[in-house]
Amino acid sequence: MARIESLELRDIRKEFDGAAANDGISLTVRSGEVLALLGENGAGKTTLMNILYGLYAPDAGEILVNGARVRIAGPADAIRMGIGMVHQHFMLVGRHTVAENAALGLRGVPFLRPGAWVAGRIREFSKRYGMAVRPEAPVWQLSAGERQKVEILKALLKGAELLILDEPTSVLTDSEASELFAAVRRMTAEGKSVVFISHKLTEVLAVSTRIAVLRKGRLAGTVPAAGAGRAELARLMTGGDVISAAARGPRIAEDAGAPALAVEGLTVLGDLGPAAVSGLSFTLARGEILGVAGVSGNGQRELGEALAGLRPAEAGSLVVAGVDASGRSPRALRDLGMRHIPEERLRLGVVGSMSVADNAVLSCHRDPRFAKGPFLDRAAIRAHAQGIVDAYGIMTPSADARAGALSGGNIQKLILGRETEGTPAVIVASHPTCGLDIGAAEFVRSRLCAKAAQGSAVLLISEDLDEVLRLSDRVAVMFEGRFAAVLPNSGLDRGRVMLLMAGGGEAGRD
Ligand SMILES: Nc1ncnc2c1ncn2[C@@H]1O[C@H](COP(=O)(O)OP(=O)(O)O)[C@@H](O)[C@H]1O
Ligand SMILES: [Mg+2]
């Protein structure tokens, strides 16, 4: 495979539904360099690289390899030219082994003992790049970090000279990330080039040689990594705009009574053992929206789950509307007025095999409204569910349809309808608009604001900084299990929030 000395994107444009995801982007990647593609969620990073990998055809613009114009009609063309890509969401076949997965789409596999040959090549490449994997392991047994190694090895075995890694560290532990960076350095030492997509300033500064910053589909700037300052990068990412809290309607008056939620010294372990939430303390007033901003993986999920009683707390106390709720079950917390819109909607939010109606009363079916003694009142449940379906415009053939058959947006509306019924004391909303189209997302936001206006306290956990800044009264920035800062949301500087999200500390060290 010929070396890719330079790869140039010229004036790339790509629209989705009339909106430009990429708008006149020009970039060059050279042999031996790590080009970081930095930008907030939705900036257009994945789209641009999907174009380079042949998954999308650009609406305008051209691609040049070593100075010659090329046409990349699909991933097969890209691979032939030496371009490899590891997606944010892996595409391995779970029941196959590492070697079998790597063999898929690989050329030059000998007819005799192909398995042994592929396994041998994997061992050779594993060693060369310092990425240990066992060729004979079935993929379903592997951790996310190991799967990623397999994806990278697969691309290298296919002859990738330019490797695109789309937010590779989002699934990695810190030590796995260091291992990945070491592998990336070995690749570039051989003259390969790497495009490293990320929205995390710290790792971008650690691994790349040049940084291209995308903002709202456009190239905001390209800077050498050496000497680049965090503040400058944050400004390029955000345009330096100062966002003030959008008027979200009247706030209820400052409440002198007990806070809706008081959390003291909360420590929660993550799936991997170490504390994901470390000694966190905060209070939430009635009618207040506290936004939790942060890069995912800094304890937000564990915080939400612990507040909902779905994950045990190692230490600390929880007081809901003046009542000690520490160590209570999800049901007991619910009875105290705690509601939860989970991040993993399909796994934790609904029971897919049950009907829309049954899901609408999930964990409150013993409510006297829906049960007479030991007997469920089917008609009352159905009527209640139909009320939610109508009020939220849920698209379903009927309240008896299987909840699992609904689209993501409609499942979210169903959960929202159930969890915001009445005026709960606290609503913990984890990434409530993630994956929704604009209309559904706006609807969800307006419901949360309406509940706050009625007196519910809302903890809004979101990776969407615009959403946090638009809805919240105060913004807590979560970093490594703690709130790096809790700031009143008026005239808040976006760049400052982003610095805190990246672990920049209050002083915004450079
Ligand atoms: N297949 C698609 N269909 C419609 N819109 C899309 C599609 N892919 C991306 N977009 C939109 O394009 C914009 C850029 O998205 P993306 O490239 O995924 O951003 P990033 O990777 O920087 O987070 C977003 O507004 C996104 O919603
Ligand atoms: Mg992306």
Side-chain angles (χ1 to χ4, degrees):
M1 186 126 354
R3 164 122 304 156
I4 299 181
E5 292 299 340
S6 75
L7 187 142
E8 191 182 347
L9 294 165
R10 262 192 208 160
D11 255 338
I12 299 288
R13 181 175 178 86
K14 178 73 187 174
E15 290 186 7
F16 293 111
D17 313 319
N22 285 165
D23 185 3
I25 299 180
S26 298
L27 268 185
T28 303
V29 193
R30 298 184 193 91
S31 162
E33 79 171 343
V34 182
L35 177 73
L37 213 49
L38 178 70
E40 293 189 75
N41 285 326
K45 309 178 294 291
T46 298
T47 300
L48 186 67
M49 288 302 116
N50 279 343
I51 289 171
L52 183 51
Y53 195 53
L55 286 167
Y56 294 148
D59 297 328
E62 49 191 39
I63 301 174
L64 294 89
V65 174
N66 298 338
R69 206 177 148 182
V70 295
R71 207 177 93 81
I72 306 177
D77 282 352
I79 290 164
R80 207 172 309 119
M81 288 171 207
I83 300 167
M85 180 160 180
V86 175
H87 288 89
Q88 215 167 342
H89 306 288
F90 304 145
M91 300 176 169
L92 299 173
V93 186
R95 67 198 143 78
H96 288 179
T97 65
V98 167
E100 286 163 346
N101 268 286
L104 294 174
L106 200 61
R107 293 189 303 171
V109 180
F111 186 66
L112 279 173
R113 305 193 56 221
W117 183 82
V118 173
R121 297 279 286 162
I122 292 175
R123 282 197 198 90
E124 179 193 328
F125 275 64
S126 277
K127 202 161 155 225
R128 178 154 143 203
Y129 298 103
M131 289 187 291
V133 294
R134 287 172 297 122
E136 60 285 349
V139 161
W140 63 264
Q141 284 183 349
L142 304 183
S143 70
E146 289 170 312
R147 282 178 195 224
Q148 183 179 79
K149 288 183 202 166
V150 177
E151 290 279 14
I152 293 173
L153 288 169
K154 227 176 115 176
L156 293 170
L157 282 169
K158 288 183 193 168
E161 285 295 317
L162 180 148
L163 184 64
I164 304 160
L165 301 173
D166 194 351
E167 305 219 5
T169 60
S170 57
V171 298
L172 301 183
T173 61
D174 285 351
S175 69
E176 286 174 330
S178 317
E179 221 184 304
L180 171 68
F181 296 163
V184 162
R185 287 189 197 101
R186 291 184 197 202
M187 290 172 214
T188 52
E190 291 181 346
K192 296 184 192 296
S193 34
V194 174
V195 177
F196 179 87
I197 302 182
S198 177
H199 56 251
K200 303 179 191 170
L201 291 177
T202 308
E203 61 186 33
V204 157
L205 285 166
V207 75
S208 54
T209 34
R210 272 192 316 139
I211 304 170
V213 185
L214 294 191
R215 179 172 77 236
K216 294 182 179 157
R218 307 187 66 113
L219 184 69
T222 308
V223 295
R230 286 165 175 280
E232 181 194 7
L233 292 172
R235 190 183 51 74
L236 285 173
M237 279 171 85
T238 62
D241 27 348
V242 174
I243 292 205
S244 58
R248 61 148 224 258
R251 266 75 165 163
I252 65 160
E254 197 61 38
D255 200 74
L261 177 69
V263 173
E264 188 62 52
L266 181 69
T267 295
V268 186
L269 298 188
D271 293 334
L272 297 170
V277 177
S278 308
L280 194 64
S281 301
F282 65 94
T283 60
L284 206 53
R286 286 186 62 229
E288 179 186 37
I289 300 183
L290 174 64
V292 177
V295 174
S296 72
N298 278 288
Q300 296 97 319
R301 183 164 65 86
E302 291 82 358
L303 170 63
E305 290 177 5
L307 294 177
L310 296 168
R311 185 181 282 268
E314 271 296 290
S317 69
L318 204 65
V319 178
V320 178
V323 179
D324 183 11
S326 315
R328 302 267 187 121
S329 69
R331 179 183 301 277
L333 276 160
R334 213 186 153 79
D335 290 343
L336 291 174
M338 172 73 78
R339 298 289 183 275
H340 182 222
I341 299 170
E343 178 176 338
E344 293 180 83
R345 286 166 218 155
L346 273 173
R347 194 166 73 77
L348 294 173
V350 293
V351 181
S353 58
M354 284 174 25
S355 69
V356 169
D358 286 335
N359 273 287
V361 296
L362 205 64
S363 65
C364 61
H365 58 271
R366 288 193 203 147
D367 186 298
R369 285 178 298 164
F370 308 126
K372 294 195 173 63
F375 302 106
L376 291 180
D377 182 345
R378 303 291 328 171
I381 290 174
R382 242 188 140 275
H384 174 76
Q386 194 59 49
I388 293 179
V389 167
D390 293 341
Y392 287 78
I394 296 171
M395 310 270 274
T396 176
S398 85
D400 300 317
R402 242 173 20 87
L406 302 186
S407 72
N410 284 300
I411 288 178
Q412 185 72 334
K413 286 179 178 177
L414 177 60
I415 297 171
L416 192 78
R418 183 183 72 213
E419 298 298 303
T420 62
E421 231 229 312
T423 310
V426 182
I427 301 168
V428 175
S430 292
H431 308 281
T433 62
C434 181
L436 300 189
D437 63 48
I438 294 170
E442 277 305 308
F443 179 81
V444 168
R445 292 181 190 123
S446 71
R447 294 303 304 180
L448 291 173
C449 290
K451 285 296 147 181
Q454 287 168 19
S456 295
V458 178
L459 188 75
L460 170 67
I461 300 175
S462 175
E463 258 205 290
D464 179 344
L465 189 50
D466 286 327
E467 174 172 279
V468 167
L469 290 170
R470 266 182 61 203
L471 303 189
S472 311
D473 299 300
R474 286 185 301 153
V475 176
V477 183
M478 195 157 189
F479 182 73
E480 294 185 346
R482 296 187 171 86
F483 285 168
V486 183
L487 307 162
N489 187 16
S490 55
L492 195 54
D493 177 35
R494 238 169 165 278
R496 179 174 168 212
V497 175
M498 297 201 56
L499 275 179
L500 289 163
M501 285 169 62
E506 236 332 358
R509 62 166 194 259
D510 249 12

